Amino acid sequence: MSTILFVLTGADHWTLADGTEHPTGFWAEEAVAPYQAFKAAGHDIVVATPGGVVPTVDRGSLAPEFNGGPEGAEQTARALAAMTELQSPVAIEDVDLDDYAAVFYPGGHGPMEDLAVNADSGEVLTRALESGKPLGVVCHGPAAMLAATGPDGTSTFKGYEIAAFTNAEETQAGLAERAKWLLQDRLTEAGVHVKVGEPWAPHVIVDRNLVTGQNPASSAPLADELLKKLG
């Protein structure tokens, strides 16, 4: 079968407007659900991060309230521990996109810190989009799109319809007022058309080879759409 590139944040914090470092990383469900779907379909996974650092999971994403209770939290933790690829990532700057059939970006607040300004990640996104390969991005993962620009500074994703973590969700999560900037706003300013669904409900948008999801609940349905594109 094919090999799918998982690009994860290498950040373990998100710097807020007052300079406070909010502990974060990648969101567990957004990595676990697609990983399990892709592996079940027979695909291989390679993880990439900035500098090849071992990615940090947002500890909050392992809490029972975000996993349907204590049993679900235990299942997520076990699934995460079984993802051995997380312990040996390649450096995003060394990625050869020709080696991969599809690209997937999970979220968590980490991408707001590093991938949003990472030119190597931006180049991977641009090349994936232009190649026609299936490209999946979920929740705060679209922050990485902000680093995907052409020579004139125009967003590679300008004119695309996407789903991404919304202002309403950031407000309900309690961090909007403390953030330096909001994802929905910045993407809109870049000319990307953010299509807003109900807060916390699954919401997936397919535009050409790009598949995006609004929030953690969108991770599994996004993976299904990406698998359809892989055939």
Side-chain angles (χ1 to χ4, degrees):
M1 298 296 283
S2 304
T3 302
I4 300 174
L5 179 69
F6 261 48
V7 182
L8 273 71
T9 176
D12 61 5
H13 68 276
W14 176 32
T15 305
L16 302 175
D18 64 358
T20 302
E21 293 187 355
H22 175 70
T24 186
F26 69 89
W27 197 261
E29 180 181 359
E30 295 168 23
V32 168
Y35 177 92
Q36 291 181 328
F38 298 153
K39 294 290 275 191
H43 300 290
D44 293 324
I45 305 292
V46 170
V47 171
T49 62
V53 302
V54 174
T56 298
V57 64
D58 187 317
R59 302 306 300 179
S61 68
L62 299 176
E65 58 264 35
F66 295 118
N67 292 278
E71 184 176 343
E74 290 177 9
Q75 290 177 347
T76 297
R78 285 197 300 269
L80 201 61
M83 293 170 61
T84 55
E85 294 90 346
L86 292 172
Q87 301 306 313
S88 55
V90 301
I92 187 69
E93 51 267 34
D94 295 334
V95 163
D96 182 348
L97 201 61
D98 292 339
D99 295 336
Y100 306 99
V103 179
F104 174 68
Y105 276 67
H109 280 107
M112 302 277 281
E113 183 75 18
D114 62 351
L115 297 181
V117 294
N118 187 290
D120 294 305
S121 169
E123 180 65 19
V124 167
L125 284 169
T126 296
R127 289 189 57 212
L129 195 67
E130 293 175 347
S131 73
K133 293 181 180 185
L135 171 60
V137 194
V138 70
C139 201
H140 286 91
M145 295 179 184
L146 299 172
T149 56
D152 63 353
T154 300
S155 172
T156 301
F157 292 87
K158 182 178 181 179
Y160 276 79
E161 292 189 351
I162 73 162
F165 201 70
T166 65
N167 290 356
E169 287 167 321
E170 202 72 82
T171 299
Q172 291 175 22
L175 287 167
E177 291 187 358
R178 301 175 63 195
K180 289 181 180 179
W181 49 272
L182 297 178
L183 181 58
Q184 181 184 335
D185 290 346
R186 285 286 298 275
L187 289 167
T188 300
E189 290 165 5
V192 184
H193 302 309
V194 181
K195 299 298 182 180
V196 176
E198 288 297 317
W200 314 112
H203 179 57
V204 174
I205 298 289
V206 180
D207 188 346
R208 288 158 275 187
N209 59 314
L210 177 64
V211 185
T212 51
Q214 180 171 310
N215 45 39
S218 306
S219 303
L222 183 154
D224 290 341
E225 291 294 337
L226 212 63
L227 285 171
K228 290 178 186 175
K229 288 191 171 296
L230 274 170

